[in-house]
PDB file of all heavy atoms in Angstrom:
ATOM      1  N   SER T  13     -55.231  49.739   9.937  1.00 98.00           N
ATOM      2  CA  SER T  13     -54.802  48.352   9.792  1.00 98.00           C
ATOM      3  C   SER T  13     -53.325  48.162  10.015  1.00 98.00           C
ATOM      4  O   SER T  13     -52.832  47.088  10.325  1.00 98.00           O
ATOM      5  CB  SER T  13     -55.161  47.857   8.390  1.00 98.00           C
ATOM      6  OG  SER T  13     -54.461  48.630   7.383  1.00 98.00           O
ATOM      7  N   GLU T  14     -52.557  49.243   9.898  1.00 98.00           N
ATOM      8  CA  GLU T  14     -51.063  49.227  10.106  1.00 98.00           C
ATOM      9  C   GLU T  14     -50.674  49.382  11.559  1.00 98.00           C
ATOM     10  O   GLU T  14     -49.478  49.176  11.899  1.00 98.00           O
ATOM     11  CB  GLU T  14     -50.387  50.235   9.263  1.00 98.00           C
ATOM     12  CG  GLU T  14     -50.602  50.099   7.777  1.00 98.00           C
ATOM     13  CD  GLU T  14     -50.087  51.171   6.903  1.00 98.00           C
ATOM     14  OE1 GLU T  14     -49.300  51.991   7.425  1.00 98.00           O
ATOM     15  OE2 GLU T  14     -50.483  51.282   5.737  1.00 98.00           O
ATOM     16  N   VAL T  15     -51.575  49.719  12.389  1.00 98.00           N
ATOM     17  CA  VAL T  15     -51.305  49.894  13.864  1.00 98.00           C
ATOM     18  C   VAL T  15     -51.249  48.517  14.467  1.00 98.00           C
ATOM     19  O   VAL T  15     -52.109  47.661  14.222  1.00 98.00           O
ATOM     20  CB  VAL T  15     -52.383  50.724  14.538  1.00 98.00           C
ATOM     21  CG1 VAL T  15     -52.175  50.847  16.029  1.00 98.00           C
ATOM     22  CG2 VAL T  15     -52.493  52.155  13.898  1.00 98.00           C
ATOM     23  N   ALA T  16     -50.270  48.245  15.334  1.00 98.00           N
ATOM     24  CA  ALA T  16     -50.095  46.991  16.005  1.00 98.00           C
ATOM     25  C   ALA T  16     -51.094  46.890  17.108  1.00 98.00           C
ATOM     26  O   ALA T  16     -51.371  47.906  17.843  1.00 98.00           O
ATOM     27  CB  ALA T  16     -48.709  46.800  16.529  1.00 98.00           C
ATOM     28  N   ILE T  17     -51.615  45.649  17.430  1.00 98.00           N
ATOM     29  CA  ILE T  17     -52.451  45.517  18.537  1.00 98.00           C
ATOM     30  C   ILE T  17     -51.697  45.846  19.829  1.00 98.00           C
ATOM     31  O   ILE T  17     -50.564  45.452  19.969  1.00 98.00           O
ATOM     32  CB  ILE T  17     -53.050  44.043  18.566  1.00 98.00           C
ATOM     33  CG1 ILE T  17     -53.985  43.845  17.390  1.00 98.00           C
ATOM     34  CG2 ILE T  17     -53.775  43.723  19.907  1.00 98.00           C
ATOM     35  CD1 ILE T  17     -54.545  42.482  17.192  1.00 98.00           C
ATOM     36  N   GLY T  18     -52.300  46.635  20.667  1.00 97.00           N
ATOM     37  CA  GLY T  18     -51.659  47.116  21.865  1.00 97.00           C
ATOM     38  C   GLY T  18     -50.954  48.449  21.753  1.00 97.00           C
ATOM     39  O   GLY T  18     -50.543  49.038  22.687  1.00 97.00           O
ATOM     40  N   GLU T  19     -50.850  48.912  20.485  1.00 97.00           N
ATOM     41  CA  GLU T  19     -50.163  50.196  20.230  1.00 97.00           C
ATOM     42  C   GLU T  19     -51.141  51.395  20.412  1.00 97.00           C
ATOM     43  O   GLU T  19     -52.365  51.325  20.047  1.00 97.00           O
ATOM     44  CB  GLU T  19     -49.617  50.180  18.806  1.00 97.00           C
ATOM     45  CG  GLU T  19     -48.771  51.455  18.432  1.00 97.00           C
ATOM     46  CD  GLU T  19     -48.136  51.340  17.096  1.00 97.00           C
ATOM     47  OE1 GLU T  19     -48.427  50.442  16.322  1.00 97.00           O
ATOM     48  OE2 GLU T  19     -47.281  52.232  16.837  1.00 97.00           O
ATOM     49  N   ARG T  20     -50.637  52.433  20.931  1.00 97.00           N
ATOM     50  CA  ARG T  20     -51.411  53.674  21.175  1.00 97.00           C
ATOM     51  C   ARG T  20     -51.341  54.492  19.882  1.00 97.00           C
ATOM     52  O   ARG T  20     -50.309  54.649  19.247  1.00 97.00           O
ATOM     53  CB  ARG T  20     -50.802  54.427  22.319  1.00 97.00           C
ATOM     54  CG  ARG T  20     -51.480  55.714  22.646  1.00 97.00           C
ATOM     55  CD  ARG T  20     -50.765  56.321  23.879  1.00 97.00           C
ATOM     56  NE  ARG T  20     -51.036  57.689  23.993  1.00 97.00           N
ATOM     57  CZ  ARG T  20     -51.399  58.363  25.059  1.00 97.00           C
ATOM     58  NH1 ARG T  20     -51.469  57.664  26.199  1.00 97.00           N
ATOM     59  NH2 ARG T  20     -51.660  59.652  25.086  1.00 97.00           N
ATOM     60  N   PHE T  21     -52.511  55.098  19.516  1.00 98.00           N
ATOM     61  CA  PHE T  21     -52.514  55.957  18.343  1.00 98.00           C
ATOM     62  C   PHE T  21     -53.466  57.105  18.533  1.00 98.00           C
ATOM     63  O   PHE T  21     -54.325  57.092  19.457  1.00 98.00           O
ATOM     64  CB  PHE T  21     -52.940  55.087  17.097  1.00 98.00           C
ATOM     65  CG  PHE T  21     -54.399  54.598  17.187  1.00 98.00           C
ATOM     66  CD1 PHE T  21     -55.434  55.349  16.628  1.00 98.00           C
ATOM     67  CD2 PHE T  21     -54.661  53.391  17.746  1.00 98.00           C
ATOM     68  CE1 PHE T  21     -56.717  54.859  16.756  1.00 98.00           C
ATOM     69  CE2 PHE T  21     -55.915  52.909  17.842  1.00 98.00           C
ATOM     70  CZ  PHE T  21     -56.976  53.626  17.290  1.00 98.00           C
ATOM     71  N   TYR T  22     -53.364  58.118  17.712  1.00 97.00           N
ATOM     72  CA  TYR T  22     -54.234  59.325  17.802  1.00 97.00           C
ATOM     73  C   TYR T  22     -55.224  59.289  16.708  1.00 97.00           C
ATOM     74  O   TYR T  22     -54.946  58.983  15.511  1.00 97.00           O
ATOM     75  CB  TYR T  22     -53.289  60.549  17.609  1.00 97.00           C
ATOM     76  CG  TYR T  22     -54.037  61.849  17.626  1.00 97.00           C
ATOM     77  CD1 TYR T  22     -54.474  62.432  18.814  1.00 97.00           C
ATOM     78  CD2 TYR T  22     -54.310  62.606  16.405  1.00 97.00           C
ATOM     79  CE1 TYR T  22     -55.155  63.668  18.850  1.00 97.00           C
ATOM     80  CE2 TYR T  22     -55.021  63.776  16.453  1.00 97.00           C
ATOM     81  CZ  TYR T  22     -55.404  64.276  17.705  1.00 97.00           C
ATOM     82  OH  TYR T  22     -56.074  65.487  17.705  1.00 97.00           O
ATOM     83  N   ASP T  23     -56.527  59.562  17.101  1.00 97.00           N
ATOM     84  CA  ASP T  23     -57.581  59.603  16.108  1.00 97.00           C
ATOM     85  C   ASP T  23     -57.911  61.039  15.854  1.00 97.00           C
ATOM     86  O   ASP T  23     -58.436  61.747  16.779  1.00 97.00           O
ATOM     87  CB  ASP T  23     -58.860  58.880  16.691  1.00 97.00           C
ATOM     88  CG  ASP T  23     -60.055  59.018  15.791  1.00 97.00           C
ATOM     89  OD1 ASP T  23     -59.848  59.084  14.522  1.00 97.00           O
ATOM     90  OD2 ASP T  23     -61.165  59.112  16.317  1.00 97.00           O
ATOM     91  N   PRO T  24     -57.685  61.573  14.630  1.00 96.00           N
ATOM     92  CA  PRO T  24     -57.919  63.004  14.373  1.00 96.00           C
ATOM     93  C   PRO T  24     -59.403  63.382  14.390  1.00 96.00           C
ATOM     94  O   PRO T  24     -59.673  64.545  14.536  1.00 96.00           O
ATOM     95  CB  PRO T  24     -57.268  63.221  12.969  1.00 96.00           C
ATOM     96  CG  PRO T  24     -57.254  61.848  12.404  1.00 96.00           C
ATOM     97  CD  PRO T  24     -57.114  60.887  13.489  1.00 96.00           C
ATOM     98  N   ILE T  25     -60.311  62.440  14.207  1.00 95.00           N
ATOM     99  CA  ILE T  25     -61.713  62.780  14.203  1.00 95.00           C
ATOM    100  C   ILE T  25     -62.207  63.092  15.625  1.00 95.00           C
ATOM    101  O   ILE T  25     -62.874  64.123  15.854  1.00 95.00           O
ATOM    102  CB  ILE T  25     -62.549  61.662  13.597  1.00 95.00           C
ATOM    103  CG1 ILE T  25     -62.051  61.452  12.149  1.00 95.00           C
ATOM    104  CG2 ILE T  25     -64.000  61.862  13.676  1.00 95.00           C
ATOM    105  CD1 ILE T  25     -62.921  60.857  11.134  1.00 95.00           C
ATOM    106  N   SER T  26     -61.837  62.332  16.598  1.00 94.00           N
ATOM    107  CA  SER T  26     -62.255  62.550  17.942  1.00 94.00           C
ATOM    108  C   SER T  26     -61.212  63.434  18.746  1.00 94.00           C
ATOM    109  O   SER T  26     -61.526  63.893  19.778  1.00 94.00           O
ATOM    110  CB  SER T  26     -62.382  61.248  18.670  1.00 94.00           C
ATOM    111  OG  SER T  26     -61.189  60.565  18.833  1.00 94.00           O
TER     112      SER T  26
END
Side-chain angles (χ1 to χ4, degrees):
S13 62
E14 298 171 16
V15 176
I17 292 175
E19 186 174 10
R20 180 179 160 132
F21 66 92
Y22 179 77
D23 174 34
I25 298 203
S26 65

